[in-house]
Amino acid sequence: MNYMTIIARGVLILPAILLMSALACGGDPTPIVTSPPVAPGLLRVASTVSPITSIVENIGGTRIHLEGIVPEGTNSHTFKPAPSVARILADTDLIVLNGLFLEEPTLEMAGANKNPDTVVLLLGDRSISREDWQFDFSFPESQNRPNPHLWTDPMLALRYAELVRDELVRLDPSNAEYYNGNFNAFQARIIELDRGIRAVVQTIPIDNRKLLTYHDSWAYFAKRYGMTVIGAAQPSDFSEPSAQEVAHLIDQVKEFDLPSVFGSEVFPSDVLETIARESGAKFVDQLRDDDLPGNPGDPRHSYLGLMLQNMEIMIPALGGDAEALAQFDPSHVFEGDSRAIYPQ
Ligand SMILES: [Zn+2]
């Protein structure tokens, strides 16, 4: 399909996004976004986890049809796409994944179903070399699969955005100026976020600049901002840690006198609560690594909002002050409403 020809003819139909309310188990109204029809002429892009979908959305804005695959609030590490996802992958021009072994079943499905011309972009694999792979408790070197959460370092998220920009420009050169403009705006926002995070981390007493989390997603963040990940509770097979491992973690929290330990929204677990109780640390269970805050359409429902909210939770819990980020704008950088599909 020649996008430029179709766009030039002016056959642009805005996709209708149907927002319906449904009752979630807690009784709160939760929006369900159904797939809008693809506007003729728009480049079609599929992406996996929500932080990556948000980065792609910031660059592609309203000029691409963007559909996320991994529903928010699910374990992306063990996620297996439903058979219906094969149709999205077969019907798209660009498939964006984190890579670094995070989305193997989706990558396999893409290989089996995609159009031969469809580009598969593995952002993590293209952003760092093997020497920069981080290994830890949940992602041990013995398995030769690195910690894949590169986006917790905003500068690596910027590298993701750059790779996406390059691919969008290559596939859809008629919108190159638009994609470049969005990239430049996103870059400015990332630099502001990076400076803000550096400033708020400095407010944490040096001895408290340590993280013990349930889900092990902070390796690249810690490396960039001079923090130490002293451990994680979740084993590499995403089961629960053994009694011995729990005892070891309790000893570590006591030894380092950590004020708080952190759980994750996606992985409710009693284990970290036990560790907190036994060690005297506070249990903070609201960190997020790949489900965005709020609902689609909210300004904070974005990669930038994810990082901002994590800082607002993490920094005070370690004895610091997140005030330097109070004015940070987490909304998307392009004009117009979000039209990306975030499966819930
Ligand atoms: Zn994760």
Side-chain angles (χ1 to χ4, degrees):
M1 183 194 294
N2 185 330
Y3 306 103
M4 286 146 290
T5 313
I6 294 169
I7 290 168
R9 283 189 200 139
V11 193
L12 271 176
I13 304 162
L14 292 178
I17 297 178
L18 302 174
L19 285 170
M20 298 186 300
S21 286
L23 288 179
C25 29
D28 296 328
T30 304
I32 294 174
V33 182
T34 60
S35 293
V38 181
L42 292 189
L43 191 74
R44 291 161 305 179
V45 185
S47 58
T48 53
V49 291
S50 293
I52 290 179
T53 304
S54 175
I55 291 168
V56 175
E57 184 183 22
N58 268 283
I59 308 305
T62 55
R63 308 262 175 107
I64 61 171
H65 173 87
L66 174 60
E67 189 149 359
I69 291 170
V70 182
E72 293 188 81
T74 52
N75 178 355
S76 58
H77 301 263
T78 55
F79 171 76
K80 290 190 176 62
S84 58
V85 171
R87 220 179 53 198
I88 301 172
L89 296 169
D91 238 11
T92 195
D93 304 296
L94 171 63
I95 302 170
V96 185
L97 298 96
N98 184 72
L100 297 175
F101 311 102
L102 178 63
E103 315 104 320
E104 300 272 87
T106 308
L107 185 58
E108 210 171 287
M109 188 185 261
N113 291 280
K114 76 179 186 68
N115 186 301
D117 297 334
T118 298
V119 177
V120 176
L121 184 56
L122 298 174
L123 297 173
D125 299 74
R126 299 269 306 273
S127 293
I128 58 172
S129 59
R130 268 184 116 85
E131 300 86 75
D132 291 320
W133 284 11
Q134 298 285 308
F135 297 101
D136 37 48
F137 177 70
S138 305
F139 303 94
E141 190 154 15
S142 58
Q143 294 183 6
N144 208 23
R145 293 173 167 227
N147 192 314
H149 305 92
L150 271 59
W151 61 86
T152 57
D153 174 348
M155 299 318 281
L156 291 174
L158 181 61
R159 173 68 184 141
Y160 280 19
E162 190 180 28
L163 291 164
V164 168
R165 187 267 320 261
D166 291 349
E167 209 54 56
L168 294 183
V169 166
R170 198 177 69 78
L171 292 169
D172 181 19
S174 66
N175 281 311
E177 201 178 320
Y178 178 78
Y179 300 138
N180 278 316
N182 285 345
F183 174 78
N184 291 340
F186 190 68
Q187 178 170 247
R189 206 75 76 74
I190 287 280
I191 289 169
E192 191 189 337
L193 176 67
D194 177 58
R195 285 196 186 127
I197 295 176
R198 201 166 282 286
V200 297
V201 168
Q202 294 302 312
T203 67
I204 303 174
I206 289 181
D207 288 349
N208 287 358
R209 291 180 198 165
K210 300 185 178 77
L211 289 170
L212 187 134
T213 59
Y214 182 76
H215 186 56
D216 198 355
S217 49
W218 294 91
Y220 299 90
F221 170 89
K223 187 174 175 224
R224 177 153 187 85
Y225 298 108
M227 293 184 68
T228 308
V229 178
I230 67 159
Q234 193 174 44
S236 58
D237 63 358
F238 302 101
S239 62
E240 291 292 348
S242 67
Q244 200 184 0
E245 283 159 347
V246 170
H248 177 64
L249 289 168
I250 292 168
D251 287 346
Q252 278 189 298
V253 176
K254 281 183 179 163
E255 184 191 330
F256 289 111
D257 197 20
L258 286 191
S260 299
V261 296
F262 297 95
S264 156
E265 291 262 328
V266 175
F267 300 99
S269 168
D270 296 338
V271 169
L272 208 60
E273 209 170 344
T274 308
I275 294 170
R277 194 173 51 240
E278 297 291 320
S279 62
K282 198 173 147 204
F283 175 51
V284 180
D285 69 342
Q286 296 143 337
L287 288 190
R288 295 158 176 266
D289 72 323
D290 54 19
D291 63 327
L292 307 179
N295 292 314
D298 295 345
R300 279 194 176 222
H301 188 265
S302 67
Y303 164 73
L304 299 170
L306 171 80
M307 293 304 293
L308 175 63
Q309 190 147 310
N310 278 327
M311 292 306 98
E312 288 171 346
I313 292 164
M314 179 196 293
I315 302 297
L318 295 176
D321 179 352
E323 180 61 28
L325 282 165
Q327 301 304 316
F328 182 72
D329 175 9
S331 63
H332 60 64
V333 298
F334 57 89
E335 300 270 314
D337 292 334
S338 168
R339 288 207 265 121
I341 299 158
Y342 291 89
Q344 298 295 297

